[in-house]
Structures are given as structure tokens and as C-alpha cells.
Amino acid sequence: MSTSLERYTDRFEQYSDRYPHVIDVVLVLSLMGCAALGSNLTMPGAEPPDQDRTATALMGVSCLALLKYRSHPRTAVVVTAVCTVIAISLGYLLTPLLLGPVMAALYWLATLTDRKTTRVFGVTSMAALMVASAVSDSMDSLSLVLRTIGPFFWLLLPLAAGNMTRLRRAYLASVQARAEHAERTREEEARLRVTEERMRIARELHDVVAHHMALANAQAGTAAHLALTSPQQTKQILTDLTGTTSSALRELKATLGLLRQTDAPASASLEPSPGLARLPELVSACASAGLAVTVSTTGEPRALSPGVDLTAFRIVQEALTNVSKHADVDSAQVRLAYSGSRLLITVSNDGPDTNGITGTTGTNDASDTADTVDAAKAVPGRGFGVMGMRERARTIGGELCAGPRPEGGFEVTTALPLQPSATEAAQVSEAPQAPEAPQAPEAAVGATDAPAGGEES
């Protein structure tokens, strides 16, 4: 029943919004007819007052005032109440038909104005009509209680209905506002996810391409240097170079394939992301490029979550790639320190600082990223390696510092939590894994090159 009533109410409101003047005229004519009929009603055995013209004029003015209820609801209430009080004082019987105009005015007052205004004008109108009914001689045969309680309840009815209508409209407006806000929030979240995914893909491709190309460049340079003096070693280096470039192509193809991969059951099987367990393969690949890497561990090694393990490996990989590309040294040191709830990783070299981006020691300061970008733009041939490492560390709640050492050389230090944050854990669970790659040393190193500074994939 209530659903049907609400349906008809909604239809009436829609029609009223479309043709407001037609509705107003129809309502006014209806109320005028009700008031005219009510002025002819009397108590049994009583004669109606002989002032029909006065009553008709009062009811006409009262109903015409209702035409302005949309813009002046308070004025409409005052005019209808005054006219009704005058009609009662002239001896007309107070009936619901005679109260029709003032009841309509009170309903629209409660619908269109605030609660305080409704109380003030509603109570005043009810009090005036109850007093007029009490002193009127048209209902002398009734007790004072009956003469006052009737107008009270009849006038209370439109006030309650108007308040319910106002609350219902406010509720519908709030629901619509929440829906619009939710829609805007979904769009903003979608744009944010697209931006984050673009950054992740950029970091992934950076790791896949930059690491392999840096090793290939170093291997080619070493082979060229030893071509005349050590042909056998040159041949071995060139063989390693072939494996490095082949691995780079496979990694690039695998990364791009993941972007096109669907959820079809026939999708290729995926292997776990690389971690610190593959450091020996990385050290072996660096050695073939002429960079001797020493790895030392302090503290008791612990099992790392996939996200932290991948991040630690990628930071070491990127740091060693930068040493191979920019530092004029043939050795580097990697130190892993397990302390408390954090893993401290230090990658350093003892040569002169020739890195393209130096002095970037901030951890979570936004100005550090801006300085890194400016430095990368200012130095030709330099990329975003330090910035990528910092972004990767931040994704799991870690910190990273990179800069020249006082005693010479360059050092990258990062502190990672042994357990990832809840956000990072969700990213790890949603991210794709790298496809299985051949296990030859050269290919294995390439297979570890997922995105630098990206989400876990």
C-alpha cells in the first residue's frame, strides 16, 4: 500500500514540476469549492449566518493567497488563517471544509520551510483558530473541549504530512548526492590506478632493458679490450654477451606478454618472482662484465615475503647496474644485515663518484624525487635508477638513501621491513608473476629483471 502511494506521489510531483501553474489553479479551485460548501454547513437546527457575500469574499481571498505559496509560504499561512478566523467570528461553523485553505497553506509551509519556521507559524495559526472556535457562538451546544480539540487535530495533520514530505525529499537528495560522490570517487580511483599502473610498467621495462643492456655494453667493451691479447677469454665473453642479449629479448617479450595476458585457463604457467636467493646468478653475470661483487651477510637470515624479497633483489640489481655503467671500478660490495624487524642492504664501491645522480640522500621527502628528476635531466645519458629504487622501497614501507661516500665512491643504503605493509601485500597478491625462463646463468640473470621500482610482478 505504501509503495503504491509513494509511486502516485512521485508521479504527481513530477507532473507538478512540469506544469506548476496548472496544478496550482486546480488546487485553488478545489479548495474554494470546499470552503464554499463548508460555509453552508451548520449545527442541527441552527440557521447559517446571512452573510454569504462576506464569506465568499473571505474564502476567495484566502484561496487566491494560496497561488503564492511557492514563493511566499508564510504570507499564504497568515492570510488564510486571518480569513478563516474572521469567518468563524461571523458565526460560520468550523469544519474541515472551511479549514481547507489554511490546512493546505500549513502543509506547504512545512514542506518548503525549515522546522523552526513551521513551529512558529503553525503554533500561532492553531492557537488563533482554537481561540476563535472557543469564543464562537456557532457551537454553543458543544463543550469547550470539543470545540478546541477538533481544530487542533485537523491543523496538526497537514503539519505532520508536510514534515514527512520535507524529510523524504531531503533523504532522496542525500541519496542522490552520495551516489554522485561515489561515482566521482570511482572515477578518481580509476584514474589513480591507471597512473600507478603506468608507473609500474615503466619501472618494469626499465629493469628489463637497462640491466641487460648495461651488462651487454660492459661485456662488449671487455671483449673489445681483450680481443688481441686473450682470444679465448674474448670468445667466452662474446658467448656470455649472446646469452645476455637473448635473455633481454625474452624478458622484454615476457613483460609485454603479461600486459596482454587474460584470465583464460590456457595461459602460460608462471614461476615465483626472483628474490635474494638468485644473488649468486646476478654476481656471476656481473663478473662476466668485469665487475667483481662481494656479498656478505650479518645477522640470522630470515624468510622474506614475496614483495620484500623481490624489492630487495631489484634494488641490489639496479645498484650493481649503476656501478657497472657509471663507476670506474672493477669491484663492488653488497652487505645484507638482518636486524630486528628490518633488513638493511648496502651496495657500495670504492672508486671515484661518477654516478649521474649524486647527493640524493632523502628517503620519504617529496623534494628528493624532484631533485632526482632535475638531476637526471641536467646530466645527459643518466636515467632514473635512484628514483626507481626509492619508489620501490617506498611501496613496501622502506627507506632508501643514495649518495657519495666521504672516503670516496658511491653507496646505496636501504632499510626494508621484513614483513610488507597491508597495501603492498594486496599489490603482491594481485600482481602477475614472471614467466619461467631457461636456467642458464646468462638467461637466469636476465629473467630476474622485472621492473625496477615497480609493484611485485
Side-chain angles (χ1 to χ4, degrees):
M1 181 65 181
S2 60
T3 304
S4 301
L5 181 61
E6 290 180 358
R7 186 186 307 116
Y8 289 121
T9 302
D10 293 338
R11 291 179 180 176
F12 179 78
E13 291 181 354
Q14 292 175 1
Y15 188 83
S16 177
D17 293 337
R18 187 179 303 177
Y19 307 104
H21 298 295
V22 175
I23 296 296
D24 293 345
V25 171
V26 172
L27 289 176
V28 167
L29 292 177
S30 302
L31 291 172
M32 188 174 294
C34 292
L37 179 61
S39 62
N40 292 324
L41 298 178
T42 60
M43 295 293 294
E47 293 292 332
D50 189 15
Q51 301 185 30
D52 293 341
R53 293 183 178 179
T54 303
T56 302
L58 288 174
M59 293 300 100
V61 172
S62 176
C63 292
L64 289 176
L66 295 176
L67 292 175
K68 294 293 183 180
Y69 78 89
R70 298 180 186 272
S71 57
H72 301 85
R74 301 172 183 82
T75 303
V77 170
V78 172
V79 173
T80 54
V82 170
C83 292
T84 305
V85 169
I86 294 176
I88 295 173
S89 64
L90 292 177
Y92 289 94
L93 182 64
L94 182 60
T95 62
L97 293 177
L98 193 66
L99 289 175
V102 68
M103 291 173 65
L106 289 175
Y107 171 79
W108 286 319
L109 177 73
T111 302
L112 301 175
T113 61
D114 58 275
R115 187 176 301 178
K116 180 179 180 181
T117 302
T118 302
R119 284 199 299 265
V120 172
F121 282 84
V123 170
T124 304
S125 301
M126 292 172 64
L129 290 169
M130 290 171 63
V131 170
S133 177
V135 301
S136 176
D137 56 0
S138 61
M139 294 184 292
D140 292 338
S141 59
L142 299 178
S143 65
L144 181 62
V145 174
L146 294 178
R147 281 186 286 175
T148 56
I149 196 173
F152 174 79
F153 283 107
W154 281 113
L155 296 177
L156 187 64
L157 181 62
L159 291 175
N163 280 325
M164 291 178 61
T165 301
R166 178 173 51 81
L167 293 175
R168 178 173 175 270
R169 290 177 179 177
Y171 171 75
L172 294 178
S174 65
V175 170
Q176 183 178 2
R178 285 197 299 268
E180 293 175 354
H181 176 72
E183 184 66 24
R184 288 195 302 269
T185 303
R186 282 195 295 268
E187 293 177 357
E188 294 173 359
E189 183 178 357
R191 286 194 296 268
L192 179 60
R193 286 182 177 273
V194 169
T195 302
E196 292 177 347
E197 186 65 13
R198 285 171 52 197
M199 295 299 297
R200 187 189 72 83
I201 294 172
R203 291 192 293 263
E204 295 290 330
L205 293 177
H206 173 274
D207 270 357
V208 169
V209 176
H211 173 70
H212 289 91
M213 293 302 101
L215 288 180
N217 181 70
Q219 289 169 339
T222 305
H225 180 70
L226 300 175
L228 298 178
T229 59
S230 182
Q232 188 64 28
Q233 188 176 359
T234 301
K235 181 179 179 181
Q236 180 61 39
I237 293 176
L238 291 177
T239 302
D240 294 342
L241 176 59
T242 302
T244 300
T245 54
S246 299
S247 180
L249 292 175
R250 283 192 298 270
E251 278 295 312
L252 185 60
K253 180 180 179 180
T255 302
L256 295 177
L258 287 174
L259 301 179
R260 300 172 178 171
Q261 186 176 1
T262 63
D263 296 331
S267 299
S269 60
L270 303 177
E271 68 171 7
S273 299
L276 293 179
R278 302 182 68 169
L279 272 183
E281 299 173 2
L282 179 60
V283 171
S284 175
C286 291
S288 68
L291 179 65
V293 180
T294 303
V295 180
S296 60
T297 303
T298 60
E300 182 180 356
R302 307 178 195 175
L304 304 177
S305 67
V308 176
D309 202 14
L310 174 63
T311 299
F313 179 83
R314 292 306 186 202
I315 290 176
V316 174
Q317 181 188 62
E318 179 62 26
L320 292 178
T321 301
N322 288 342
V323 173
S324 177
K325 290 169 59 178
H326 307 304
D328 187 16
V329 297
D330 56 4
S331 64
Q333 298 79 40
V334 177
R335 292 187 295 275
L336 308 176
Y338 293 85
S339 175
S341 62
R342 302 181 76 82
L343 169 62
L344 182 65
I345 302 174
T346 304
V347 181
S348 60
N349 63 80
D350 299 326
D353 175 29
T354 57
N355 282 334
I357 302 172
T358 60
T360 56
T361 59
T363 57
N364 289 327
D365 190 0
S367 62
D368 297 333
T369 303
D371 295 340
T372 303
V373 174
D374 294 339
K377 292 180 179 178
V379 182
R382 297 300 185 258
F384 296 90
V386 175
M387 182 172 63
M389 288 187 290
R390 181 176 292 115
E391 290 174 352
R392 182 181 284 279
R394 288 176 180 175
T395 58
I396 61 171
E399 301 175 354
L400 185 138
C401 298
R405 304 168 62 193
E407 61 273 20
F410 197 84
E411 183 176 79
V412 175
T413 303
T414 180
L416 305 178
L418 294 180
Q419 294 296 329
S421 62
T423 302
E424 185 272 342
Q427 293 172 345
V428 172
S429 63
E430 296 176 357
Q433 304 299 316
E436 186 176 358
Q439 293 305 309
E442 297 82 7
V445 175
T448 62
D449 294 321
E455 326 284 339
E456 291 58 47
S457 51

